Amino acid sequence: MNRLSPDGGGDDGNDGSESLASPLLLPQRSLINSTSQVALVGANVCPIESLDYEFKMAFFVFSASNLVLTLFATLITAFIAPAAAGSGIPEVKAYLNGVDAPGILSLRTLFVKVVGSISAVSASLVVGKAGPMVHTGACVASLLGQGGSKKYGLTWKWLRFFKNDRDRRDLVTCGSAAGIAAAFRAPVGGVLFALEEMASWWRSALLWRSFFATAVVAIVLRALIDVCLSGKCGLFGKGGLIMFDVYSASITYHLTDVPSVLLLGVMGGILGSFYNFLLEKVLRMYNFINEKGTVYKILLACLISLFTSCLLFGVPWLGSCQPCPPDALEACPTIGRSGNYKKFQCSSGHYNDLASLIFNTNDDAIRNLFSRNTDSEFHASSVLVFFLICCVLSILSYGIVAPVGLFVPVIVTGASYGRFVGMLFGGRPHSSLNHGLYAVLGAASFLGGSMRMTVSLCVILLELTNNLLLLPLIMLVLLISKTVADAFNGNIYDLIMKAKGFPYLVAHTEPYMRQLTVADVLSGPLWTFHGVEKVGTIVHVLRITKHNGFPVVDECSQDDSRVLYGLILRAHLVELLKRKDGFMSTSAESRGGGVEFSAADFAKRGSGTRDTIDDLEISAEEMEMYVDLHPFTNASPYTVVETMSLAKALVLFRQLGLRHLLVIPKITNRSPVVGILTRHDFMPEHVLGLHPLLFRSRWKRLRLQVPRTFSIF
């Protein structure tokens, strides 16, 4: 939401008339006799036409500023770093699983992620900044792991010790934990989020390293919050998305409150799974539109921005005017600045409860819904409308080409849902659960139903509310909502990764994999190189294939048999061909040719542009020369026998974080290698494509499918 609030002229008096809203929509509004055609605004007399003009100008400024900010975020994302679009959590999660998508952790992506996220959130789009902050932390960690950016001249030699796959992956994991810690001021929750949701491989050393990173984030945040609390942050308020102490109170609950909590968890699971279902369908439609070109991406974002502005500005007219509470801790109504009591079209001493939720930041909206002793602050119909608005707009806003997140919108949607349920059931006798507590539990149930996390979400919510007494209820709600939602579809981030085409390897194996061997899923042809290979042969193979690894086979001089020497990577072959120092005129020359290479020459490149075989210029004379591959080959690659179970091979592949797994024959009178397994060979689509009869033997969790008659797309 946006801090901009059209308060009808900026005074405390009557600022509207029958020409702006009917008495039915404004039951507590003091209306002027239609024959007078004037409305009192403070101590001045203002014509109705002037008020009409002021509201029209307010809408124009509101929608125009939102459109400009959305357009800016979309343009820099589409033209500078397309990988910065979306939340970033699916991309980082896929990277930690072994999927190195191009550009997702580059310096340009970092810049666009920061600037674009600020613009998108400021544009009144119902989006969050927690996901972009996770992606930002991962980008910073990756840049440190690769020693900076050579392209922009930002390098540090002492960081070269982290320039390997394992340390870079560990740094990215710590960066994702730091992002959550910074977004919610939840250091322990950030560590558990990285452990439960992000990392595919975890070890004990990574635990304390990520904890150290989040502890530093918490200290820095505390220092910055102290500055804001002293009033030096101006319109930025007192800490941003820091809901700490928002529900710090002693609460009591009884056994009679458990049924309503159980119902909250069940409904949260159903609504969360339905939210995922709708989001997946919308993303598919957006992908179809975005594939048409950049112009369509920009037009789609502009249309969503205009629709959001119209809806946010028009819906508050349906809200009721509530009298200002006598014990309000801030000015009521608030005019011309950020606040919790928006006047909108109401008379002096009244506020519009729906406008107070809409024309506010997501942080303040969550804080208002979570707060205790505010049972009479919002009307039930206003909370229900706000829930529907957040649900619809968050789904429509996520798919645009801009850095937008889902975490905070899901919290806002769940909090409004829980608050509404609390209004329906919270007034029962002998119940001590107020509306604010229902909002906290509603947010937990919606998060559990949508994101399917338990431990990390529980700790994050506890750190947000600063109330350990909520632990049993939050645990119960999260477990129930996750269990119910798992009966319908998968994790929201897993669905997004699937829509983006990331070959993510899940932790469990499908039952049909136990019926297959690794030889059953091998696909050819297999390309191998000799230990001393002709340059022309290497260039030809690299140009006609997209493989990233090639077995190196030696001829045994004694019995003319062939033995597997190792595995060489495409990047290393391209580097050898680029250097040309190791070229030999004949294959009988000594190995290596006396040429020295450093480890940095073959270190994994960062996020910049990599050399390809098409970028090299090799003469016809050089094509007839030879190169010795032995010094640059991994002589100890992981291998499995062709009769090994596919399920066991998947466990080995995933647990060790491999990229290639060589398959060797069971008998010795055949070729020394029969194939290479990559992550694509373990994907269900590939396996079931080769063996369609096994489709009925796939993993069968309880899934309730939507009937085809109700299918929209």
Side-chain angles (χ1 to χ4, degrees):
M1 307 302 173
N2 202 312
R3 290 184 179 273
L4 178 62
S5 175
D7 290 320
D11 261 335
D12 292 337
N14 296 336
D15 56 351
S17 65
E18 294 183 33
S19 62
L20 299 179
S22 66
L24 178 62
L25 298 180
L26 306 174
Q28 299 187 27
R29 183 182 173 194
S30 177
L31 299 176
I32 304 299
N33 193 324
S34 59
T35 59
S36 64
Q37 296 298 311
V38 295
L40 294 178
V41 182
N44 303 321
V45 177
C46 180
I48 293 178
E49 290 78 3
S50 176
L51 288 176
D52 238 354
Y53 172 78
E54 289 177 355
F55 274 97
K56 290 179 181 178
M57 285 301 300
F59 172 71
F60 173 76
V61 174
F62 179 67
S63 57
S65 60
N66 292 340
L67 180 61
V68 170
L69 290 169
T70 303
L71 184 61
F72 174 73
T74 304
L75 288 176
I76 62 175
T77 304
F79 289 103
I80 299 179
S87 169
I89 292 181
E91 287 80 0
V92 177
K93 184 177 179 180
Y95 174 83
L96 294 176
N97 189 258
V99 182
D100 194 1
I104 62 173
L105 300 176
S106 65
L107 186 61
R108 291 193 303 176
T109 301
L110 173 62
F111 169 77
V112 173
K113 203 73 179 184
V114 174
V115 178
S117 176
I118 295 173
S119 300
V121 173
S122 303
S124 296
L125 298 175
V126 185
V127 297
K129 47 187 176 285
M133 292 186 74
V134 171
H135 197 178
T136 299
C139 289
V140 173
S142 177
L143 291 173
L144 292 176
Q146 68 189 39
S149 175
K150 290 184 179 180
K151 181 178 180 180
Y152 299 100
L154 302 174
T155 57
W156 301 273
K157 291 184 178 180
W158 63 274
L159 290 174
R160 68 182 184 274
F161 300 107
F162 301 104
K163 203 168 185 180
N164 57 79
D165 287 332
R166 190 186 70 173
D167 287 337
R168 187 180 300 178
R169 185 173 63 237
D170 289 352
L171 285 172
V172 171
T173 304
C174 294
S176 63
I180 287 293
F184 299 109
R185 194 183 162 194
V188 180
V191 175
L192 294 176
F193 176 82
L195 170 62
E196 182 178 6
E197 180 65 17
M198 302 300 294
S200 296
W201 306 284
W202 194 267
R203 51 199 181 95
S204 57
L206 188 56
L207 181 64
W208 71 263
R209 290 174 181 173
S210 58
F211 185 73
F212 174 79
T214 56
V216 173
V217 170
I219 294 173
V220 174
L221 272 180
R222 181 71 262 177
L224 296 177
I225 291 172
D226 288 340
V227 175
C228 290
L229 289 176
S230 63
K232 298 180 181 179
C233 291
L235 294 177
F236 288 99
K238 298 182 178 180
L241 185 52
I242 305 300
M243 292 168 283
F244 206 78
D245 294 339
V246 72
Y247 201 85
S248 181
S250 297
I251 62 171
T252 57
Y253 43 87
H254 309 284
L255 189 61
T256 55
D257 298 321
V258 174
S260 58
V261 174
L262 295 178
L263 177 63
L264 200 67
V266 173
M267 292 300 299
I270 296 175
L271 291 175
S273 61
F274 186 64
Y275 183 90
N276 291 1
F277 170 78
L278 293 178
L279 182 62
E280 183 184 16
K281 299 300 181 183
V282 171
L283 286 180
R284 288 184 180 180
M285 182 177 64
Y286 282 7
N287 289 339
F288 176 76
I289 297 175
N290 292 335
E291 288 175 356
K292 295 182 177 294
T294 305
V295 176
Y296 289 88
K297 298 178 183 179
I298 298 174
L299 289 177
L300 177 62
C302 293
L303 288 176
I304 295 299
S305 176
L306 292 175
F307 175 73
T308 301
S309 299
C310 294
L311 192 62
L312 295 183
F313 198 93
V315 168
W317 292 97
L318 303 176
S320 60
C321 293
Q322 305 285 345
C324 291
D327 55 346
L329 300 179
E330 59 179 280
C332 178
T334 55
I335 300 175
R337 59 181 178 82
S338 176
N340 297 329
Y341 302 99
K342 299 299 181 183
K343 181 183 176 183
F344 203 65
Q345 86 290 5
C346 297
S347 60
S348 178
H350 292 75
Y351 68 96
N352 187 316
D353 57 346
L354 186 54
S356 299
L357 291 172
I358 290 178
F359 289 104
N360 221 331
T361 61
N362 284 331
D363 317 346
D364 290 335
I366 296 173
R367 187 179 290 107
N368 293 342
L369 293 171
F370 278 11
S371 298
R372 65 187 187 278
N373 300 327
T374 57
D375 289 359
S376 60
E377 186 171 328
F378 304 104
H379 195 270
S381 60
S382 299
V383 176
L384 178 60
V385 171
F386 183 66
F387 163 73
L388 295 176
I389 290 176
C390 291
C391 187
V392 172
L393 291 184
S394 62
I395 292 175
L396 295 179
S397 301
Y398 181 77
I400 66 173
V401 183
V404 295
L406 275 175
F407 216 112
V408 175
V410 170
I411 295 179
V412 178
T413 306
S416 56
Y417 146 71
R419 185 96 180 191
F420 178 73
V421 173
M423 292 178 175
L424 298 180
F425 298 99
R428 296 181 295 107
H430 309 295
S431 177
S432 58
L433 304 183
N434 57 47
H435 299 172
L437 179 55
Y438 272 102
V440 175
L441 298 178
S445 65
F446 207 81
L447 282 169
S450 177
M451 300 185 177
R452 314 296 162 81
M453 292 178 281
T454 53
V455 180
S456 58
L457 286 180
C458 182
V459 175
I460 289 174
L461 289 173
L462 289 178
E463 290 182 291
L464 289 180
T465 57
N466 193 29
N467 197 331
L468 196 60
L469 296 176
L470 296 176
L471 178 62
L473 295 179
I474 293 179
M475 291 175 61
L476 183 63
V477 165
L478 284 172
L479 289 173
I480 293 176
S481 61
K482 171 180 166 52
T483 303
V484 172
D486 281 338
F488 295 92
N489 49 33
N491 183 333
I492 188 170
Y493 295 127
D494 292 344
L495 295 178
I496 295 174
M497 284 191 296
K498 185 177 180 180
K500 290 179 176 289
F502 294 146
Y504 184 84
L505 294 180
V506 296
H508 67 272
T509 60
E510 297 285 351
Y512 58 76
M513 290 187 175
R514 303 187 185 96
Q515 309 172 28
L516 300 174
T517 64
V518 294
D520 295 327
V521 298
L522 291 177
S523 56
L526 176 66
W527 296 91
T528 62
F529 291 127
H530 295 93
V532 179
E533 188 60 81
K534 193 175 182 179
V535 173
T537 303
I538 298 176
V539 173
H540 173 71
V541 173
L542 292 181
R543 284 178 176 173
I544 66 173
T545 66
K546 299 295 183 181
H547 303 329
N548 284 289
F550 301 91
V552 176
V553 177
D554 276 340
E555 300 285 348
C556 186
S557 58
Q558 297 179 353
D559 53 0
D560 294 334
S561 62
R562 303 169 64 192
V563 295
L564 175 65
Y565 182 81
L567 181 75
I568 190 168
L569 300 179
R570 169 184 284 265
H572 295 177
L573 291 171
V574 173
E575 185 67 23
L576 285 174
L577 297 176
K578 178 183 178 181
R579 292 284 298 269
K580 301 182 181 180
D581 296 335
F583 288 1
M584 304 177 297
S585 58
T586 63
S587 61
E589 292 187 21
S590 60
R591 290 185 177 182
V595 180
E596 293 184 0
F597 291 87
S598 64
D601 296 331
F602 296 96
K604 184 178 180 180
R605 293 289 185 89
S607 303
T609 304
R610 302 177 182 179
D611 295 323
T612 63
I613 187 62
D614 296 328
D615 299 328
L616 305 182
E617 295 182 1
I618 303 177
S619 63
E621 181 181 357
E622 292 171 338
M623 287 286 192
E624 300 299 324
M625 301 181 72
Y626 293 85
V627 61
D628 187 5
L629 303 180
H630 292 94
F632 315 103
T633 302
N634 176 15
S636 57
Y638 285 93
T639 61
V640 294
V641 184
E642 60 181 342
T643 56
M644 186 178 188
S645 168
L646 184 62
K648 291 183 179 180
L650 173 59
V651 173
L652 176 67
F653 192 93
R654 190 180 188 277
Q655 292 298 327
L656 295 178
L658 302 179
R659 188 176 184 181
H660 305 96
L661 185 61
L662 299 183
V663 180
I664 60 176
K666 190 172 183 179
I667 56 178
T668 58
N669 58 351
R670 296 173 55 190
S671 173
V673 56
V674 297
I676 300 181
L677 289 174
T678 63
R679 63 176 49 244
H680 292 278
D681 296 313
F682 294 102
M683 300 306 295
E685 296 80 6
H686 172 73
V687 178
L688 294 177
L690 295 176
H691 306 278
L693 296 179
L694 296 175
F695 184 79
R696 296 182 178 273
S697 300
R698 70 191 188 282
W699 183 260
K700 292 187 177 69
R701 292 188 297 178
L702 177 60
R703 287 291 171 90
L704 303 180
Q705 301 293 341
V706 178
R708 293 187 177 182
T709 55
F710 296 98
S711 179
I712 300 177
F713 302 103

